[in-house]
Amino acid sequence: MRSEVAARIAVVGSVNMDLVVTAPRLPRPGETVLGRGFATVPGGKGGNQAIAAARAGAHCAFIGTVGVDAYADALRASLVEAGVDVSRLRAVPGPSGVALVAVDDAGENQVVVAPGANAGLTLGAEDRAVIAGADVLLCQLEIPLSTVAHAAAAARATGTTVVLNAAPARALAPELLAAVDVLVVNQLEASTVTGIEGSPAELLDALLAGVPRAVLTWGGDGVAYGDRAGVRVEVPAPPIDALDTTAAGDAFTGAFAVALAERRPI
């Protein structure tokens, strides 16, 4: 049952300006495709997940960095407009993070991220205090792995639940996985993290060798959950026509973190 007190989510992560081009199809390597439209859209996995958590009813505090450039104010404003606490969002010298995004007529996308200021994110005492006061810490991998590990360790020391969205995917140290309560990945990320390819059930089994609980998103086929107690849950995706899948996983992960903090049934 949902608590009357708002869930408290701390997000340690990236915020980027997305430079988005729409085109009939995505280019192949070495190919130029004529696009139809262009837009600048605030994003970044951390920022997206923080906004999703705030929109889902949580009190969400964002810990991150922007640069000193034309994008910084717009990135901060997008979080504030969604109701995210940005008191721990600070500016560092250099450019803000940017993502180059191409979206085709089927809603599929290609994304290349230049981390910019996100690459300089480190944690201080005030950041650790915010993490300690949260129900759930939510991290991704568009910031330094050392900062993610630091945040997860701080959360583990104070009893805050750690949710890690391992994206962009990379191999993860056992020490980091040992501090994670719930790992959220899509099928490609799961293969990178585990080193295997397989069915959702096989990937969940491999993920659970490193973490106690795992959530595996499978695009249009929905999502699967597993834990070391033997619980397995599969939920199909609703039938929709996707307009743009950019940040779909972020929206899911932010809302999932809130539901977890509210102690809703899986």
Side-chain angles (χ1 to χ4, degrees), residues 1-57:
M1 178 178 289
R2 180 171 180 165
S3 170
E4 294 300 319
V5 179
R8 298 166 300 169
I9 307 295
V11 176
V12 175
S14 60
V15 60
N16 300 321
M17 184 60 76
D18 291 355
L19 311 180
V20 184
V21 175
T22 56
R25 60 181 179 82
L26 300 177
R28 293 169 296 196
E31 180 185 22
T32 299
V33 172
L34 189 63
R36 284 196 299 263
F38 171 76
T40 56
V41 184
K45 289 188 173 297
N48 292 338
Q49 293 178 19
I51 288 173
R55 288 180 177 175

Side-chain angles (χ1 to χ4, degrees), residues 109-126:
N109 65 71
Q110 291 177 335
V111 183
V112 178
V113 174
N118 299 301
L121 177 59
T122 59
L123 301 184
E126 292 183 50

Side-chain angles (χ1 to χ4, degrees), residues 73-171:
D73 288 345
L75 292 172
R76 184 182 299 271
S78 70
L79 293 165
V80 171
E81 183 180 1
V84 177
D85 177 355
V86 296
S87 58
R88 297 307 303 155
L89 175 63
R90 52 270 197 183
V92 298
S96 299
V98 297
L100 308 180
V101 184
V103 182
D104 70 12
D105 285 345
E108 291 297 332
N109 65 71
Q110 291 177 335
V111 183
V112 178
V113 174
N118 299 301
L121 177 59
T122 59
L123 301 184
E126 292 183 50
D127 302 315
R128 292 192 293 273
V130 171
I131 293 170
D135 300 307
V136 171
L137 167 69
L138 184 52
C139 293
Q140 323 76 33
L141 301 181
E142 287 182 342
I143 58 175
L145 272 176
S146 58
T147 303
V148 175
H150 185 179
R156 177 53 58 93
T158 56
T160 298
T161 299
V162 179
V163 176
L164 174 62
N165 175 214
R170 65 187 81 176

Side-chain angles (χ1 to χ4, degrees), residues 161-164 180-184 211-215 225 256 260:
T161 299
V162 179
V163 176
L164 174 62
V180 172
D181 294 293
V182 187
L183 185 67
V184 181
V211 295
R213 291 179 280 175
V215 175
Y225 165 90
F256 174 81
L260 191 68

Side-chain angles (χ1 to χ4, degrees), residues 193-205:
V193 170
T194 63
I196 70 167
E197 295 184 5
S199 67
E202 291 168 334
L203 287 170
L204 276 177
D205 286 341

